[in-house]
Amino acid sequence: MAGDASRMRKPVIAGNWKMYKTQHEARDFFAAFKPLVAAATHCEIVVAPPFTAIAACVEAAKGSTIGIAAQDVYWANEGAFTGEVSPRMLVEAGCRAVIIAHSERRQLFGETDESANRKVKAALAAGLTPILCVGETLAEREAGNTQKVLEKQFRGSLAALTPAEFSRIIMAYEPVWAIGTGRTATPEIAAEAHKFLRGLAANSFTAEYAASLRILYGGSVKPENIKGLMAQAEIDGALVGGASLDAAQFAAIVNY
Ligand code: PGA
């Protein structure tokens, strides 16, 4: 296990279950997963189940340090918004964090930087930790537009945040071409993007907050590649999709 005390930012290993697992399956996962990560103090562990399994996961995670997150949120506290869930509902259900603007939300469900910005602000106001996702598509990378895309997403999604608000977010760099494809960004490619994002943070907020911003890498993270990714000082953890569905695999990533 790395767990190197030299890291100034505590790593976060977060699992994004996407539209997988019923309550029953979630309970089975925790029964197997909890003992495997009971000794892990070198990182924060987060699991983001579908809305319907949040309460079951909060219950199942009791007695551990595993935090439960939602995969999306709406920005209003309540109202005539059929199908949406509000920040205070997530807090009441026991969530500590919420993933915002995952690329699947951006690509399949019309999420924009503007809507992401409203969600980030609402999540912060409710006391949730936003895990804001950014990342370029393959076409954008091949056209040499990676930095331009990341900058637009960064500025748009975090517009009008105070530095103090900014200090409470977690960012996830997830190149779209690496998600669910088995094609991980090399640790160097990921670190380069993280460095760029940290530079934007220093530029838009303060150098101090930029230095403490945790930037997770996401996209085909597996037990086999987590060590190499975490060896990069710029990489502060991982947002894991497919491999977070299996207790043994996700535990191996946590215990990298
Ligand atoms: P993956 O998904 O690990 O299955 O590539 C990552 C994500 O979409 O967060």
Side-chain angles (χ1 to χ4, degrees):
M1 187 186 301
D4 49 325
S6 60
R7 277 186 175 274
M8 70 171 185
R9 298 178 289 266
K10 187 160 190 176
V12 178
I13 304 289
N16 171 14
W17 282 359
K18 308 192 179 187
M19 201 174 73
Y20 292 98
K21 290 198 195 294
T22 62
Q23 298 188 46
H24 186 92
E25 291 162 347
R27 284 187 204 104
D28 286 351
F29 172 92
F30 273 89
F33 181 65
K34 259 168 61 166
L36 298 177
V37 298
T41 53
H42 62 288
C43 69
E44 292 175 19
I45 308 170
V46 176
V47 171
F51 289 128
T52 48
I54 286 174
C57 287
V58 168
E59 184 60 35
K62 278 195 180 138
S64 77
T65 58
I66 304 163
I68 304 303
Q71 298 175 17
D72 192 17
V73 66
Y74 192 63
W75 54 77
N77 262 333
E78 59 183 14
F81 303 108
T82 302
E84 295 296 322
V85 172
S86 81
R88 68 181 191 128
M89 291 169 184
L90 296 182
V91 170
E92 187 200 37
C95 286
R96 295 185 205 162
V98 56
I99 297 170
I100 293 176
H102 187 277
S103 65
E104 285 150 19
R105 300 302 316 172
R106 292 180 187 267
Q107 297 205 308
L108 305 174
F109 303 101
E111 187 83 81
T112 63
D113 293 329
E114 292 67 36
S115 59
N117 184 231
R118 298 177 81 156
K119 291 177 177 187
V120 167
K121 285 188 198 153
L124 286 167
L128 291 163
T129 299
I131 303 174
L132 174 72
C133 301
V134 297
E136 80 288 359
T137 63
L138 185 60
E140 288 163 344
R141 173 163 285 269
E142 286 178 343
N145 289 332
T146 298
Q147 294 195 346
K148 211 164 93 187
V149 169
L150 294 181
E151 179 160 4
K152 182 182 162 291
Q153 292 177 343
F154 183 100
R155 293 200 190 286
S157 307
L158 301 177
L161 250 61
T162 65
E165 285 172 331
F166 175 74
S167 75
R168 293 172 43 212
I169 77 154
I170 292 174
M171 186 160 282
Y173 168 62
E174 297 208 311
V176 178
W177 46 271
I179 295 177
T181 58
R183 186 177 164 184
T184 333
T186 63
E188 292 73 24
I189 289 178
E192 191 189 337
H194 286 214
K195 199 170 167 199
F196 177 72
L197 289 166
R198 205 176 296 289
L200 291 175
N203 198 262
S204 302
F205 298 98
T206 68
E208 189 195 349
Y209 287 146
S212 54
L213 171 68
R214 288 177 297 178
I215 308 178
L216 318 184
Y217 166 77
S220 300
V221 174
K222 305 280 180 243
E224 301 76 47
N225 58 30
I226 184 68
K227 221 181 160 78
L229 290 161
M230 293 307 293
Q232 295 284 339
E234 274 295 340
I235 300 180
D236 305 312
L239 183 54
V240 185
S244 73
L245 295 170
D246 179 83
Q249 276 200 48
F250 192 43
I253 293 173
V254 166
N255 297 319
Y256 60 87

